[in-house]
Amino acid sequence: MDGIRATLEGGWLAPAGPAPIAFEAAVAEATGFGGVLATSSGTAALHLGYRVLGVEPGDEVWVPSMTFVATVAPAVQMGATPRFLDAAGPGWTIDPGQLAEELSLAARRGRLPRVVVPVDLYGQCSDLPAIMAACDRWGVAVMSDSAAALGAEGRDGRHAGCGARLAVFSFNGNKIATTGGGGALAGDDPALLAEARRLAGQAREPAAHYQHETTGYAYGLSSILAAVGLAQLPELAARVARKREIFATYVAGLADLPGLSFIAEPNWGRANRWLTVALFEPAAFGTDREVVRRALEAAGIESRPAWKPLHLQPAFRSAPQSGGAVAAGLFERGLCLPSGCGMTAAEQARVIETVRGCARR
């Protein structure tokens, strides 16, 4: 609270002053990136990333189908065509082997993607080194959508997104650390981040008057929101530990039920367990995901289905895809359970009791 009070008393409200600078430095320290640009949202950070990586109308951008629409929406709005890749592996992320095959086919067609955007789904890191190796062969840029993965670790203990040309984080109200609404674009290339920073400030040139060689955006993070985020980052490790504790409690309370399983954690990474996602196999569990969701709703407990894959969304009905059956099955069977750090033991016990009551109903 002291930082927020100091920001208010100092008169800093706009995206300027010491708070955004300090917040960017704190995010860089927490993630290990060389530089960070704080933005008004994770979607804004994605938009800037697509822009500085050179996405143009007619380009292809490859993303997993199992993700939130914001992953690809800015690129589509820029005139790019998305290609959706199926979910795979224990973390339900991009399969590097499938990606390598698809890139080889695309090279033979003469239509490689401009950018590949792996997603760290529900706080579980994708196999970024293997994805990078597949893309580096063809000179394809990689931007990691690590919006929900702050505090998660991938291979070699590196923070989520590290190794990609750029990475995006979200500080939306539902994230593990939040500014209420905000995001960050991170990377190790100073030139890319400098260009993104210029575009985020309406692409104003360094002149006494207002000079613009191109158009940009009002994408800066306000000082007040930066101060809010800055106050939370020291608690990141404790929040990750709490999220993992919540996940472990769900496993202990529900894993004995037939037909119920959870998103797994590969042995090479450490998820932040942003959301606990359970899978229900109707034949063994006795009912389907939607019955469980409605039972929780009737008990006053909010839950929601796993992401509906983008290749099934009407907005992308004509977009090309590679597979999709795995992602579709995860949507049909997956349910995100309450996972907030502030949830009490009694509240979580009530969720577990309600889910157990649906088994073999």
Side-chain angles (χ1 to χ4, degrees):
M1 292 299 293
D2 289 343
I4 300 171
R5 185 179 297 109
T7 300
L8 288 169
E9 291 175 350
W12 292 105
L13 299 177
I21 295 172
F23 179 66
E24 290 173 350
V27 175
E29 182 178 0
T31 59
F33 279 98
V36 168
L37 167 63
T39 59
S40 56
S41 68
T43 307
L46 283 160
H47 190 185
L48 291 169
Y50 282 125
R51 178 91 182 256
V52 301
L53 291 175
V55 171
E56 297 179 348
D59 284 342
E60 279 197 2
V61 171
W62 290 11
V63 304
S65 186
M66 195 70 179
T67 185
F68 182 50
V69 68
T71 301
V72 74
V76 172
Q77 291 155 5
M78 294 168 69
T81 298
R83 175 179 285 273
F84 300 121
L85 305 178
D86 205 356
W92 309 345
T93 54
I94 285 179
D95 179 353
Q98 180 199 10
L99 174 63
E101 293 175 5
E102 291 293 332
L103 287 169
S104 295
L105 292 172
R108 289 200 288 272
R109 294 194 303 266
R111 187 164 169 74
L112 284 163
R114 177 70 65 179
V115 185
V116 170
V117 187
V119 175
D120 296 333
L121 191 69
Y122 298 122
Q124 169 61 59
C125 292
S126 60
D127 191 352
L128 191 55
I131 290 169
M132 291 292 301
C135 291
D136 285 348
R137 178 185 176 191
W138 304 104
V140 175
V142 174
M143 177 167 61
S144 180
D145 183 346
S146 301
L150 191 69
E153 296 177 357
R155 288 192 182 274
D156 304 322
R158 300 185 75 189
H159 191 279
C162 281
R165 192 85 182 276
L166 292 168
V168 170
F169 300 98
S170 172
F171 297 93
N172 193 24
N174 60 1
K175 295 302 187 290
I176 198 164
T178 177
T179 58
L185 183 67
D188 296 316
D189 187 331
L192 278 181
L193 289 177
E195 176 61 6
R197 189 176 299 277
R198 185 179 76 94
L199 292 171
Q202 294 287 18
R204 183 182 177 186
E205 302 295 333
H209 58 280
Y210 286 91
Q211 178 77 11
H212 303 273
E213 303 297 331
T214 187
T215 58
Y217 320 96
Y219 277 172
L221 183 67
S222 79
S223 289
I224 297 299
L225 296 186
V228 171
L230 193 58
Q232 294 179 44
L233 284 175
E235 303 174 8
L236 179 58
R239 293 185 180 207
V240 171
R242 175 62 182 137
K243 289 281 192 178
R244 292 180 64 85
E245 179 185 31
I246 289 169
F247 177 86
T249 300
Y250 276 129
V251 171
L254 295 170
D256 64 304
L257 297 177
L260 192 155
S261 61
F262 297 89
I263 183 172
E265 183 176 63
N267 58 14
W268 46 257
R270 184 174 185 272
N272 69 6
R273 297 300 190 190
W274 171 57
L275 284 180
T276 293
V277 187
L279 287 179
F280 297 88
E281 303 289 347
F285 185 74
T287 192
D288 61 22
R289 175 262 291 163
E290 191 59 14
V291 170
V292 178
R293 188 192 68 79
R294 288 198 298 265
L296 289 167
E297 184 177 52
I301 300 168
E302 182 182 6
S303 65
R304 64 183 60 184
W307 296 125
K308 182 176 182 179
L310 296 186
H311 76 275
L312 298 179
Q313 298 286 358
F316 306 115
R317 60 172 58 90
S318 61
Q321 66 188 71
S322 299
V326 175
L330 294 173
F331 166 60
E332 290 296 331
R333 296 176 287 127
L335 188 67
C336 301
L337 301 176
S339 306
C341 288
M343 185 167 55
T344 67
E347 288 170 336
Q348 189 170 12
R350 197 161 72 88
V351 177
I352 292 171
E353 180 184 4
T354 305
V355 174
R356 294 190 69 88
C358 295
R360 282 291 167 200
R361 177 177 290 183

